[in-house]
Amino acid sequence: MLKIYHVQGTRSVRPIWLCYELDLSLQIETIDFSQTYRDTHQWRAISPAGKVPVMTDTDTDAEVTLFESGAMVDFILERYANGRLHPPRGTAASAIHHQWCWFSEATLIRPLGLNRILRTPASGAESLAADGLNKTHNALQAVEQALQDRNYLLGAEFGAADIMMGYSLVLLEKFKLLEDKYPNTQRYLSRLKDRENFARAMQA
Ligand SMILES: N[C@@H](CCC(=O)N[C@@H](CS)C(=O)NCC(=O)O)C(=O)O
């Protein structure tokens, strides 16, 4: 059974809309969007960066909790869509499908958050910087937590998710955001940097 922790009008619309299009049964739980609730241990236990949405699947052979809307869409498509609403994997059309999915979140709407902060009264560059820093540290806590019992994001084996994460961490390190904090993340980044192909890619 799919369950989506929802706040009206937020990114939880994505997985909910997809479930509706695929006619999947779904449980929706509306949560309190206040910062106070999102900072509770209870919420951080399922949403380590304190954000919305979260989706769980309690199906016994695919039990999973996800806290990134694009990953929810991917999972629902892979597991429940039977080829509907996305092109076959490995095709050029599939590559374009993935590109638009990533672009929608990572490139198109990310700057919107900054715009909203700039428009609120009594805000400016300082509050913008503080908010950005705060959100980055919240997200880094999610990475730190994920790495507490494993060498790589998915477990013992290195994979493509570590390549995506590795580059982001290199940038965060460059801006000195990992200093004296996040021991698991720092060890992980060293492990990634030890890979010959990381050095090759950075020098390419
Ligand atoms: N990339 C994440 C972004 C999640 C996100 O930023 N959600 C917003 C609601 S749409 C949120 O929780 N904002 C509160 C905050 O950032 O503190 C996703 O697509 O799930």
Side-chain angles (χ1 to χ4, degrees), residues 9-12 14 33 35 38 50-53 67-70 72 105 135:
T10 66
R11 286 167 174 86
S12 41
R14 286 177 175 149
F33 197 44
Q35 189 68 56
R38 288 187 293 113
K51 288 174 179 268
V52 173
F67 51 79
E68 189 65 39
S69 64
M72 296 170 203
E105 176 62 23
K135 283 184 170 158

Side-chain angles (χ1 to χ4, degrees), residues 18-24 73 76-88 97:
L18 180 59
C19 287
Y20 287 165
E21 293 283 353
L22 293 170
D23 211 12
L24 301 176
V73 166
I76 294 166
L77 289 176
E78 279 175 25
R79 186 165 175 91
Y80 297 111
N82 290 321
R84 287 173 291 164
L85 300 185
H86 67 298
H97 154 86

Side-chain angles (χ1 to χ4, degrees), residues 34-53:
S34 68
Q35 189 68 56
T36 313
Y37 177 70
R38 288 187 293 113
D39 282 342
T40 59
H41 288 302
Q42 183 194 348
W43 183 245
R44 290 298 172 109
I46 59 168
S47 179
K51 288 174 179 268
V52 173

Side-chain angles (χ1 to χ4, degrees), residues 87-102:
R89 290 182 77 83
T91 61
S94 176
I96 301 295
H97 154 86
H98 285 298
Q99 180 169 265
W100 282 125
C101 289
W102 282 77

Side-chain angles (χ1 to χ4, degrees), residues 23-198:
D23 211 12
L24 301 176
S25 60
L26 169 71
Q27 185 187 349
I28 296 175
E29 182 170 320
T30 299
I31 70 135
D32 171 4
F33 197 44
S34 68
Q35 189 68 56
T36 313
Y37 177 70
R38 288 187 293 113
D39 282 342
T40 59
H41 288 302
Q42 183 194 348
W43 183 245
R44 290 298 172 109
I46 59 168
S47 179
K51 288 174 179 268
V52 173
V54 167
M55 185 180 89
T56 59
D57 188 349
T58 48
D59 196 350
T60 43
D61 67 327
E63 203 172 327
V64 70
T65 300
L66 295 172
F67 51 79
E68 189 65 39
S69 64
M72 296 170 203
V73 166
D74 280 345
F75 176 74
I76 294 166
L77 289 176
E78 279 175 25
R79 186 165 175 91
Y80 297 111
N82 290 321
R84 287 173 291 164
L85 300 185
H86 67 298
R89 290 182 77 83
T91 61
S94 176
I96 301 295
H97 154 86
H98 285 298
Q99 180 169 265
W100 282 125
C101 289
W102 282 77
F103 182 88
S104 308
E105 176 62 23
T107 303
L108 185 63
I109 64 166
R110 214 171 66 127
L112 264 188
L114 306 185
N115 190 272
R116 181 180 52 76
I117 293 160
L118 280 176
R119 277 192 286 111
T120 53
S123 74
E126 235 169 79
S127 83
L128 179 67
D131 187 75
L133 202 58
N134 194 27
K135 283 184 170 158
T136 305
H137 282 296
N138 280 341
L140 270 169
Q141 276 161 26
V143 179
E144 179 71 8
Q145 190 176 313
L147 292 167
Q148 69 193 355
D149 59 352
R150 56 195 57 203
N151 282 348
Y152 298 101
L153 285 175
L154 298 192
E157 302 287 325
F158 169 82
D162 301 305
I163 291 178
M164 291 294 287
M165 182 61 76
Y167 177 72
S168 299
L169 292 177
V170 165
L171 279 192
L172 291 170
E173 185 186 48
K174 193 170 158 190
F175 288 104
K176 305 197 183 314
L177 290 171
L178 302 183
E179 276 182 352
D180 302 328
K181 290 183 195 152
Y182 313 114
N184 302 331
T185 307
Q186 291 198 21
R187 279 194 292 274
Y188 167 70
L189 182 55
S190 307
R191 217 170 283 130
L192 296 179
K193 284 181 170 174
D194 284 345
R195 295 184 76 84
E196 194 191 333
N197 288 325
F198 167 79

